[in-house]
Amino acid sequence: MTIDVMFPYYGDVAMMKAAVASVLAQEDKDFRLTIVDDGYPDDSLPAYFQGLIDADDRVRYFRNETNLGANGNYKKCLSLVEHDVVVVMGADDIMLPNYIGTIRSAFQNPEVRIVQPGVEVIDENGNVYEPLGDRVKTFLRRLAVGGSSEAIIQGEPIAESLITGDWLYFPSVAWRAQAILKHDFREQYNVVQDLALAMDIIMDGGKMLVSDTVCFQYRRHRESDSSVRALDGRRFAEERAFFDECAVDFARLGWTKAARAARLHLTSRLNAASLTPKVVQKRMWPGLKKLTVHALRP
């Protein structure tokens, strides 16, 4: 079972090269790496990517003629999927050498549609750390699986858990290709598109395997796209629209607890409130208004 590693790229060149190297260093060699360059302006890259292709026939490279943006490039990646299991990796993250093997083992169960393996968080310099938000993610994930080191979960309980606080690390998540291609990324979202995709699969009856086996390093840096969007309020406006959609969808399924959690969106409110001092410090007054409204509006 060859695993498709889709690699949408736009950003830091050194981190991208480290991410690519981590894929090529996998202990389990049965994968296909597909890099989709969203037009990053660096004249050194064509020779670098050609070198990868010449050295390893598992590598494919595509460059978009026009910049598609994050969501558009994710969708472009999915159009190139050829195998039964796929991961859409971040271009600044690191696969530990056991990642592909861990994912392959998890998908031996034919009912599994999504796999969330164990993840370490690293900073800009590659140091492992665990900021408050990630400690909350760990706590919520452990609640969802009942403290088990590996569990398969589905239906309303997982929907309620994830809508209360999204503890997935999207670049580390592996997907059954049939499921991800059926639902695709929702075009209207640029921040929560990964959670929306997972919810669509879960609402369609998909099962998720959650494992404690650490095999991936997720890079969290202070000026990431999602962080900037959070400070100016765009992230939370998008989250509220998504939560409102979920509340309606869950109610239609009779998932009353999940619908209540979507309306409450507790951790999202707390996150908005926690960012207000930083917004005040940066004098981002329009953002402050949006964050306050999100945190307090019923």
Side-chain angles (χ1 to χ4, degrees):
M1 178 179 68
T2 301
I3 293 175
D4 265 321
V5 179
M6 311 310 293
F7 194 96
Y9 166 61
Y10 191 96
D12 186 279
V13 173
M15 289 184 181
M16 177 272 291
K17 290 181 178 180
V20 168
S22 76
V23 177
L24 297 178
Q26 290 296 296
E27 295 165 349
D28 184 326
K29 307 297 184 183
D30 192 3
F31 61 85
R32 163 65 68 85
L33 172 61
T34 302
I35 301 165
V36 184
D37 178 359
D38 204 18
Y40 190 72
D42 188 312
D43 293 337
S44 71
L45 291 179
Y48 165 74
F49 288 124
Q50 187 59 53
L52 292 176
I53 296 168
D54 292 342
D56 196 323
D57 61 8
R58 295 171 302 173
V59 179
R60 296 189 298 173
Y61 171 70
F62 300 89
R63 181 177 174 87
N64 298 332
E65 293 183 1
T66 59
N67 181 273
L68 302 179
N71 197 333
N73 207 23
Y74 292 155
K75 294 173 77 68
K76 172 69 173 292
C77 283
L78 294 191
S79 73
L80 299 169
V81 169
E82 295 181 345
H83 300 100
D84 186 46
V85 172
V86 57
V87 56
V88 184
M89 184 181 176
D92 56 0
D93 300 315
I94 299 292
M95 277 187 183
L96 296 178
N98 61 330
Y99 178 84
I100 294 293
T102 299
I103 294 304
R104 185 184 311 285
S105 177
F107 276 104
Q108 294 305 307
N109 184 329
E111 295 185 341
V112 169
R113 295 292 177 267
I114 308 171
V115 173
Q116 173 62 75
V119 173
E120 292 177 333
V121 176
I122 56 176
D123 64 14
E124 297 92 328
N125 301 311
N127 301 310
V128 176
Y129 79 130
E130 191 177 29
L132 177 60
D134 294 286
R135 294 199 295 272
V136 172
K137 279 176 171 273
T138 298
F139 173 75
L140 293 172
R141 180 182 59 78
R142 287 175 178 167
L143 280 182
V145 300
S148 174
S149 61
E150 183 171 296
I152 295 177
I153 46 184
Q154 68 180 122
E156 183 177 11
I158 182 62
E160 180 186 4
S161 176
L162 288 174
I163 209 70
T164 297
D166 179 13
W167 42 263
L168 298 177
Y169 288 91
F170 168 56
S172 73
V173 175
W175 315 78
R176 189 78 69 178
Q178 183 181 21
I180 197 173
L181 295 177
K182 176 181 178 180
H183 296 283
D184 204 344
F185 294 102
R186 301 189 195 182
E187 292 184 358
Q188 69 268 38
Y189 297 133
N190 292 293
V191 176
V192 299
Q193 69 270 20
D194 52 325
L195 180 58
L197 173 60
M199 284 299 181
D200 285 338
I201 295 173
I202 290 164
M203 288 190 290
D204 197 30
K207 296 182 179 181
M208 178 189 295
L209 186 148
V210 182
S211 171
D212 277 351
T213 301
V214 175
C215 57
F216 195 93
Q217 292 182 326
Y218 174 82
R219 196 180 302 273
R220 189 178 294 289
H221 19 171
R222 289 177 290 273
E223 299 304 326
S224 67
D225 180 58
S226 59
S227 295
V228 173
R229 289 173 182 269
L231 293 179
D232 67 15
R234 286 178 291 167
R235 177 187 183 96
F236 296 109
E238 185 173 303
E239 285 186 358
R240 177 172 288 274
F242 173 62
F243 295 140
D244 288 346
E245 277 193 67
C246 284
V248 173
D249 291 339
F250 295 158
R252 187 181 301 117
L253 291 171
W255 293 0
T256 55
K257 292 181 179 179
R260 187 183 311 117
R263 289 190 293 269
L264 182 59
H265 48 272
L266 179 60
T267 59
S268 179
R269 291 176 186 269
L270 292 175
N271 188 24
S274 73
L275 291 174
T276 55
K278 190 171 184 179
V279 172
V280 171
Q281 182 183 23
K282 290 179 175 288
R283 299 179 180 274
M284 299 173 68
W285 307 124
L288 177 62
K289 181 179 179 180
K290 292 176 182 177
L291 264 64
T292 302
V293 168
H294 183 76
L296 298 178
R297 195 179 78 182

